[in-house]
Amino acid sequence: MTESVAAAVDHVDLADPRVFADPDHHRYFRHLRDHDPLHWNPAGVEPGFWSVTRYEDCAAVQKDSVTFSSAGTNVLGQQRWTGDEGSGRMLTHTDGERHTELRRIVNQSFTPRAVAGLEPYLRSVIGQSLDQALEEGEVDFVDTVALLPVASIAALLGVPQEDWPLLLKLTSAAFGSADQEVQTSPNARVSAAVAHSQLLLYCQDLMEQRRASPRDDILTRLGEAQRSGQLSEEGAMLFLDLLLLGGNETTRHGAVGALLALIEFPQQWQLLRADRRLLNSAVAEVLRYVSPSKHVLRRAERDIELHGRRISAGQDVAVWHFSANRDERAFTDPNVFDIERKPNAHLALGSGPHYCLGASLATLELAVYLDELCNKVASAAVAAPPALLATSVISGFKNLRVRLRSA
Ligand code: HEM
């Protein structure tokens, strides 16, 4: 590692979203893995925090939820000092028994068996989006794949199909972009707040309807949990927020990143087109290589030593699993996209008690998407240099203009 990266790391503030708009931001993390595996990020745009960047440390911190709590908040950002409304109440922001209790309310809707039934819908949704993109020739692929995650979660929630476009419109406006530029624009913030209220009112309305005629869907489960006192009305709304948000941008940017990886490694695309038995390992490799979620945050509950340094009780620790997924100690040639990689125990979906609840859904969505992409698209070319999202939360692009050639 060069001196210049070492010098730059001393000044870079990993809480600053703009760092991640730099296409070469992986270099900081490579340096930290090699030279400063427990790194203190001094106060900058946020109060100071520790960073772990190696695979082994990221997995260990996430698994030990007794020492490293999620109850405050689970990502870097303003909510660290202004307070997070989900603290101690939302699934991602609870530990121990309360966390298990909350997870149990919706668990059944996310089993591999429960989501398997969605496959035909998902195939038709992504198939139509790809057909339209092929017809147009050149498209922004971030838009092309937008409906897939929304349709998936809408189906599980129990939102009628005719309302999926409305849900897409409202979720895009409410949670739209994780990009810093958008998040700090006052106009964008107001429109987002309005769309967010409309979205929750819409879901509340459907929950009311389910009370009269229950179905096997998440809205019915949340309504029942509310009636039995397991959830407050606000708790049910926080749950909805989490489900609508958690599976949206992550899967969307996973699909976009997958296309870019296949463009960069065309022999891997041809391999997958020739042998679909590789779909599952291709999905795992997409998750590892793209790592749509960059980090999670934990708070130390007690003093603990790591790499000869002391994390004190009350200090925050950022777990950079996107760095863990490129750790040379855990993966051979980590910067190579290899759909036959074995083993591939990536951390893209987290680890430990908060392991992604939507993991089966996310992997099904990506498998169906890759399969349809191989069926319909022979190759693609980037039409304009893509701009990365300025955020430490999601690995993704503001836009990705591509030209698709049909199979
Ligand atoms: C490629 C897509 C996805 C990625 C990369 C991803 C990543 C993650 C990660 C890293 C966590 C751990 C958070 C933590 O430890 O604090 C997580 C948790 C979670 N994910 Fe996903 N996710 C994806 C798709 C989905 C989908 C489709 C859903 C469905 C709604 C979903 C719902 C959730 C929920 C509810 C949690 C919280 C689990 C808990 O706290 O117990 N995710 N996800």
Side-chain angles (χ1 to χ4, degrees):
M1 202 57 21
T2 60
E3 274 304 301
S4 61
V5 177
V9 167
D10 277 346
H11 298 109
V12 80
D13 178 359
L14 299 179
D16 185 342
R18 289 169 301 186
V19 168
F20 300 90
D22 169 2
D24 207 10
H25 62 269
H26 270 286
R27 74 188 189 281
Y28 301 127
F29 290 86
R30 167 93 204 245
H31 180 84
L32 292 177
R33 288 195 299 272
D34 288 345
H35 302 286
D36 190 10
L38 177 66
H39 170 73
W40 175 250
N41 195 104
V45 299
E46 298 188 12
F49 60 94
W50 294 101
S51 279
V52 288
T53 48
R54 286 188 185 167
Y55 182 94
E56 205 182 331
D57 297 331
C58 288
V61 170
Q62 279 187 281
K63 279 189 182 126
D64 183 358
S65 62
V66 174
T67 308
F68 297 102
S69 165
S70 295
T73 183
N74 77 332
V75 281
L76 292 167
Q78 202 192 353
Q79 65 285 355
R80 281 180 68 214
W81 65 94
T82 55
D84 191 320
E85 62 170 347
S87 290
R89 296 191 295 171
M90 190 153 82
L91 180 69
T92 35
H93 295 42
T94 48
D95 300 315
E97 264 177 45
R98 181 59 179 153
H99 172 253
T100 312
E101 220 172 73
L102 288 174
R103 204 159 157 130
R104 213 174 278 136
I105 295 172
V106 291
N107 238 347
Q108 287 307 312
S109 299
F110 287 98
T111 61
R113 206 160 146 201
V115 301
L118 295 180
E119 187 181 329
Y121 291 110
L122 302 186
R123 201 169 280 285
S124 97
V125 168
I126 192 62
Q128 281 174 31
S129 302
L130 289 173
D131 285 341
Q132 197 186 326
L134 282 164
E135 225 173 271
E136 286 174 35
E138 187 184 310
V139 287
D140 180 354
F141 207 69
V142 178
D143 291 337
T144 298
V145 293
L147 193 57
L148 177 68
V150 175
S152 311
I153 192 63
L156 282 190
L157 283 174
V159 172
Q161 197 158 348
E162 63 271 19
D163 289 348
W164 291 1
L166 172 72
L167 204 72
L168 173 62
K169 197 173 125 209
L170 292 179
T171 45
S172 305
F175 309 124
S177 173
D179 190 67
Q180 193 230 12
E181 213 176 276
V182 178
Q183 292 212 337
T184 48
S185 135
N187 281 347
R189 282 218 305 269
V190 170
S191 331
V194 171
H196 193 189
S197 325
Q198 287 174 328
L199 189 61
L200 291 182
L201 283 173
Y202 170 81
C203 288
Q204 214 166 11
D205 215 45
L206 270 186
M207 261 162 73
E208 289 294 325
Q209 291 176 30
R210 292 294 183 279
R211 201 164 286 189
S213 47
R215 292 194 198 162
D216 184 13
D217 61 30
I218 294 179
L219 287 172
T220 303
R221 287 179 208 275
L222 290 178
E224 278 166 4
Q226 216 179 307
R227 272 194 303 288
S228 71
Q230 279 178 292
L231 279 179
S232 63
E233 187 181 324
E234 213 183 352
M237 292 301 117
L238 285 168
F239 226 127
L240 275 171
D241 257 5
L242 173 65
L243 297 175
L244 288 164
L245 183 63
N248 199 346
E249 296 269 293
T250 43
T251 317
R252 180 181 190 178
H253 290 290
V256 173
L259 179 74
L260 203 54
L262 291 167
I263 293 173
E264 281 168 9
F265 295 86
Q267 71 287 10
Q268 295 292 304
W269 194 341
Q270 294 322 317
L271 187 61
L272 187 58
R273 288 192 69 209
D275 185 357
R276 304 305 164 83
R277 286 170 306 175
L278 293 171
L279 270 176
N280 288 342
S281 64
V283 168
E285 182 64 347
V286 162
L287 287 167
R288 184 197 70 84
Y289 187 80
V290 178
S291 286
S293 154
K294 278 193 188 303
H295 84 273
V296 291
L297 196 76
R298 299 292 187 257
R299 184 158 293 167
E301 291 288 293
R302 59 176 175 91
D303 293 357
I304 181 169
E305 296 272 332
L306 186 63
H307 297 293
R309 304 184 78 176
R310 169 167 295 219
I311 302 173
S312 301
Q315 288 183 322
D316 287 340
V317 182
V319 178
W320 297 97
H321 43 236
F322 92 113
S323 165
N325 284 340
R326 296 286 180 107
D327 187 351
E328 303 72 13
R329 291 153 200 80
F331 300 99
T332 312
D333 296 330
N335 296 319
V336 171
F337 179 71
D338 173 8
I339 63 168
E340 293 179 288
R341 187 179 289 277
K342 261 194 207 121
N344 192 350
H346 64 79
L347 297 180
L349 299 167
S351 175
H354 289 276
Y355 178 73
C356 179
L357 176 69
S360 301
L361 179 59
T363 46
L364 175 70
E365 285 179 64
L366 290 174
V368 167
Y369 154 71
L370 286 179
D371 199 19
E372 284 301 300
L373 188 72
C374 287
N375 287 341
K376 291 179 184 287
V377 183
S379 64
V382 176
L388 279 165
L389 288 174
T391 168
S392 63
V393 181
I394 297 279
S395 302
F397 294 93
K398 287 184 188 181
N399 43 53
L400 178 65
R401 291 214 67 83
V402 287
R403 276 187 296 274
L404 305 178
R405 194 168 63 80
S406 60

